Amino acid sequence: MRGPELLAPAGSPEALRAAVENGADAVYLGWGGFNARRGAKNFSDGEFAEALAYCRVRGVRVFLTLNILLTDRELPAALEAARTASRLGVDAVLLQDWGLLDLLRQALPDLPLHASTQMSVFTSGAAREAAEDGCERVVIARECSAEDTAAIIQNCPAEIEIFGHGALCMCYSGQCAMSALIGGRSGNRGRCAQPCRLPYGVNEAAGDRRPLSLKDNCLAGHLGEMAAMGVSCLKLEGRMKRPEYVAAVTGVYARLLEENRKPTAEERDILERAFSRSGFTDGYWRGRRGPDLFGFRPEDAAPAPPSGLSKAGRRVPVAFTALVRAGVPCSLSLDDGLGNHVAVTGPVPEPAGSRPLTLADLTARLEKTGGTPYLCVMDENSRVDPGLYLSAAAVNALRRDALDALSAARAAAPPRRECFPPPPLPETGCSADTPRFTVSVTTAAQLSGELLALHPARVLVPLEVLAALSALPEGETEWCAIMPRVWRDRDEPQLKTWLDHAKFLGVTGAMAGNIGHLPLLCDSGLYIYGDYGLNVFNSRSLDYLRKKGLRSACVSFELRFSQIRDLRKLLPAEALVYGRLPLMITENCLVRNSGPCRCDRPNVLRDRTGAAFPLLPAYGHRTEIQNDRPLWLADLPDYRCLGLRYARLRFTTESPGECVQVFRDYLEGRPARGEFTRGLCKRGVE
């Protein structure tokens, strides 16, 4: 074994061929409208079927990306796409949507599923949860270090895939709403407009700095380390890139894995000339943060043709058995060692004249398989009787017919997989005529007596804020801990200690915004409620969380009112109706990257229009970027008629007095007092 499987991007048929010809073990591609790179060329129906046959002949696996959030109306078409792909022999499907995962596990139980990085998996518990739900492979977050990766591999039965080369998103994948809220193009729907690559200023006007633009990842120097810890697959990013890029990058990594070495200066030059942003970084893998990880590519930069590129020439080993006997047709049989065995016959050999055919001559002719995907070796059972003659044309025809037959056998789809009708959803529902208000706070100061006197149904408080309290304020409400959005395995002992303290204070529930929260909370004795980070986009996602034991779930704030209304409320549903919506959760502290760290004071990110996006400190010295204006729906009666059980007021930068005033305004249905946004409740997202 040369180590991890090398998985290359195939944004087009041309890129697919480039990946295969340069040594990829597997490719991932989009077909149809349900993948996270909907802007790539992708594949037509005919091209998709041809791609599967082409790759099967060459021993390359094909993974289909269905890794976006899906509405109820889209789920049937996504299921049909997966059903067709399964019938055609796709090797696995990558998923983000919990509802689609649950649906495919029941309707197509034999179809291998991979948890996309869009699922935001960065702990062992999250990876195990995905594995228990039927994912045979989990793609972990790009932000995971070597230490994080090793811990997940040791504690998860599923295969672990990592991103080894290519673009790094500033936000944890699956948690970014910046493109959606600014321009209506959702990264969770495969339409990201990449606002992170634009200029911004941290606590100053936007100039030429790009504090959200990370360099491209390059882990070419760490392949041996990955192999030793048991990484199953190394993914190369780039479905939006040209075939030349795919060829260059795949070729370099294939050679490094094959030869078990680090890249030469020439190979590093090939990678950089193919594409880079101010060079590369391996900072996350090494557990580092900071400004050295950041860089950008000028808009007028043209890709330079890579130098020193040569195709790895992926070849499939095949054993030949040739028999040339007097008085009977010659024969040639091929075996690829994977159960594919073919045999063909040719003419009866003639008596030789001056130069009879030898086994060495025949071997040399048959092993000339240039232009084919095969590397042929003569079997020891081959025989050539003495004194016989077989023309070169006859030998060539024999070889050609045998290879064509083998290709046809290898291209055939695998045995039929089981396929069942989509299971019906339960008939029960949890709709409410009018939602009750819940409030989430960011600071302890916002927990005023006046706020609690307005009788919120629930009060949601960050776990780290609860950890600093000696008692909860007086108030008739249900107290819930908001779990940190991002953490690591090594943080879990501290989080469990804080949970015990929260229970001591009187907290009875916890908000889970990541699938990894579920195993962390399963023995806590707290009610578990789903937060917006779980990206609930359809009724089957609600059913999935219901079966997980959750008591309610907050739906995605990228849904329109009509889409929320049409959800089958299989769990009590909640929606955000007020507040600055979170645009990003980042591994880096943006304030510390730009100068002295002053996270205990107000900080903002400014764009080129002067809009100010508050920066809130997040657990683990990370940053959560908030929208520049709060969502305001108080004067829109529509949100009260969607069947929601709860409507959340999300307080972030508001003073205690402002929190109270907003709550009162919502109770009375008043219009906004300042600048605001209606969010995506009317226009939705692409």
Side-chain angles (χ1 to χ4, degrees):
M1 281 293 292
R2 66 173 185 175
E5 176 181 62
L6 181 60
L7 177 59
S12 67
E14 296 79 12
L16 180 141
R17 287 190 291 272
V20 173
E21 290 173 356
N22 284 277
D25 299 308
V27 295
Y28 61 104
L29 55 83
W31 169 60
F34 304 121
N35 69 90
R37 289 293 182 269
R38 292 162 73 188
K41 181 180 178 182
N42 290 316
F43 289 72
S44 68
D45 292 359
E47 289 170 340
F48 179 56
E50 290 173 3
L52 287 168
Y54 174 87
C55 288
R56 273 197 298 272
V57 168
R58 289 154 180 81
V60 174
R61 300 206 292 167
V62 178
F63 305 149
L64 176 64
T65 56
L66 294 178
N67 55 338
I68 65 168
L69 300 181
L70 298 159
T71 65
D72 280 343
R73 292 186 178 184
E74 293 169 331
L75 277 175
L79 172 59
E80 186 58 34
R83 183 180 285 129
T84 300
S86 181
R87 176 175 52 81
L88 292 173
V90 77
D91 292 285
V93 169
L94 281 92
L95 303 172
Q96 173 187 12
D97 191 285
W98 301 113
L100 182 60
L101 168 64
D102 200 38
L103 177 61
L104 295 187
R105 193 66 291 139
Q106 298 175 78
L108 297 167
D110 298 333
L111 177 62
L113 302 180
H114 293 180
S116 168
T117 188
Q118 294 287 114
M119 284 188 177
S120 309
V121 172
F122 40 74
T123 63
S124 298
R128 284 196 306 271
E129 200 75 17
E132 290 170 4
D133 288 338
C135 293
E136 68 175 30
R137 177 177 290 181
V138 178
V139 189
I140 61 175
R142 295 169 173 89
E143 292 85 351
C144 287
S145 67
E147 177 189 353
D148 302 328
T149 304
I152 294 172
I153 290 171
Q154 291 167 9
N155 292 288
C156 176
E159 296 178 349
I160 299 301
E161 176 180 313
I162 68 168
F163 275 82
H165 192 95
L168 289 172
C169 296
M170 183 61 178
C171 181
Y172 274 81
S173 291
Q175 301 300 309
C176 185
M178 179 174 265
S179 179
L181 286 166
I182 291 177
R185 294 177 56 184
S186 171
N188 283 319
R189 301 271 292 159
R191 294 292 193 190
C192 181
Q194 297 191 353
C196 54
R197 302 300 180 187
L198 298 175
Y200 297 92
V202 176
N203 295 320
E204 62 183 14
D208 294 331
R209 294 186 179 182
R210 287 172 168 79
L212 304 184
S213 181
L214 286 156
K215 295 176 180 177
D216 275 22
N217 200 30
C218 179
L219 302 185
H222 301 280
L223 304 185
E225 185 180 358
M226 296 173 198
M229 71 173 62
V231 170
S232 296
C233 180
L234 180 75
K235 174 177 284 183
L236 310 177
E237 184 274 339
R239 275 195 292 146
M240 300 291 287
K241 299 288 201 310
R242 300 174 307 135
E244 293 83 357
Y245 169 90
V246 175
V249 175
T250 304
V252 168
Y253 276 85
R255 287 194 295 275
L256 298 182
L257 288 167
E258 187 69 36
E259 298 168 14
N260 190 26
R261 60 176 176 81
K262 295 185 177 183
T264 64
E266 181 185 18
E267 287 166 331
R268 288 190 177 278
D269 180 66
I270 291 172
L271 295 175
E272 187 156 352
R273 286 165 64 83
F275 191 92
S276 72
R277 290 181 171 92
S278 309
F280 295 113
T281 182
D282 60 357
Y284 283 153
W285 180 257
R286 293 190 293 157
R288 298 185 180 180
R289 309 176 186 176
D292 289 345
L293 276 69
F294 291 77
F296 70 97
R297 188 176 181 85
E299 294 180 5
D300 58 353
S307 61
L309 179 64
S310 62
K311 292 183 180 179
R314 185 175 188 85
R315 310 289 294 278
V316 177
V318 174
F320 276 25
T321 303
L323 297 175
V324 181
R325 298 289 180 85
V328 295
C330 60
S331 66
L332 179 62
S333 59
L334 279 64
D335 194 312
D336 66 358
L338 298 174
N340 296 302
H341 181 89
V342 299
V344 297
T345 59
V348 176
E350 302 173 3
S354 60
R355 190 173 177 213
L357 180 69
T358 66
L359 181 59
D361 293 336
L362 183 62
T363 300
R365 293 178 188 177
L366 290 178
E367 290 183 350
K368 291 181 178 179
T369 54
T372 77
Y374 301 111
L375 176 64
C376 298
V377 178
M378 191 69 79
D379 186 83
E380 62 182 9
N381 295 317
S382 298
R383 295 288 185 272
V384 176
D385 286 351
L388 298 178
Y389 168 78
L390 200 61
S391 69
V395 173
N396 292 341
L398 199 66
R399 181 187 63 230
R400 181 177 61 251
D401 292 346
L403 292 177
D404 288 347
L406 181 62
S407 292
R410 290 174 62 86
R416 184 176 179 83
R417 292 166 171 157
E418 284 192 298
C419 180
F420 299 103
L425 289 169
E427 293 297 329
T428 56
C430 303
S431 294
D433 293 333
T434 304
R436 299 176 64 195
F437 289 112
T438 63
V439 299
S440 67
V441 300
T442 302
T443 66
Q446 293 169 330
L447 294 172
S448 67
E450 286 184 282
L451 185 72
L452 296 174
L454 298 175
H455 304 295
R458 291 177 185 159
V459 177
L460 319 176
V461 186
L463 182 61
E464 54 266 43
V465 173
L466 290 168
L469 298 180
S470 57
L472 292 174
E474 292 291 330
E476 295 183 3
T477 186
E478 179 184 10
W479 293 91
C480 294
I482 303 174
M483 301 299 292
R485 293 182 68 186
V486 177
W487 75 103
R488 292 293 190 271
D489 284 8
R490 58 184 171 273
D491 300 318
E492 294 192 356
Q494 179 188 61
L495 298 182
K496 289 179 179 179
T497 298
W498 286 355
L499 284 169
D500 289 341
H501 178 70
K503 286 176 61 180
F504 171 78
L505 295 177
V507 169
T508 58
M511 305 301 297
N514 183 279
I515 198 68
H517 286 142
L518 304 190
L520 187 58
L521 292 167
C522 66
D523 296 324
S524 67
L526 299 171
Y527 296 129
I528 304 177
Y529 306 117
D531 214 345
Y532 56 81
L534 289 172
N535 290 326
V536 172
F537 223 73
N538 53 62
S539 302
R540 289 195 180 271
S541 289
L542 286 172
D543 192 43
Y544 166 85
L545 296 175
R546 178 189 65 82
K547 290 184 288 189
K548 287 285 187 182
L550 274 67
R551 305 290 289 264
S552 73
C554 185
V555 302
S556 169
F557 51 78
E558 294 187 12
L559 289 170
R560 296 193 301 272
F561 275 165
S562 60
Q563 292 168 328
I564 297 175
R565 181 196 62 223
D566 293 343
L567 289 174
R568 295 272 298 278
K569 308 303 189 298
L570 302 170
L571 271 181
E574 180 180 25
L576 299 180
V577 298
Y578 168 79
R580 296 180 185 272
L581 297 177
L583 302 184
M584 286 188 178
I585 176 75
T586 72
E587 181 66 13
N588 276 265
C589 171
L590 298 185
V591 181
R592 181 167 59 183
N593 282 357
S594 301
C597 194
R598 33 170 278 181
C599 292
D600 56 335
R601 297 156 54 188
N603 297 282
V604 296
L605 179 77
R606 293 190 182 276
D607 68 10
R608 293 174 297 177
T609 71
F613 303 88
L615 302 176
L616 298 185
Y619 176 78
H621 209 155
R622 300 175 175 95
T623 298
E624 189 176 82
I625 305 174
Q626 315 300 313
N627 203 8
D628 63 321
R629 292 164 292 164
L631 174 70
W632 189 274
L633 304 179
D635 53 334
L636 290 182
D638 306 45
Y639 81 88
R640 297 176 177 269
C641 308
L642 304 178
L644 296 168
R645 184 74 62 89
Y646 304 104
R648 188 187 306 182
L649 310 177
R650 183 175 189 264
F651 298 124
T652 52
T653 60
E654 294 84 357
S655 68
E658 289 170 334
C659 294
V660 173
Q661 186 61 63
V662 168
F663 200 159
R664 288 174 175 162
D665 287 346
Y666 266 74
L667 289 171
E668 298 174 14
R670 292 177 179 171
R673 298 171 182 269
E675 290 189 345
F676 67 94
T677 176
R678 298 296 193 190
L680 299 165
C681 63
K682 294 290 189 181
R683 61 186 172 122
V685 293
E686 294 182 33

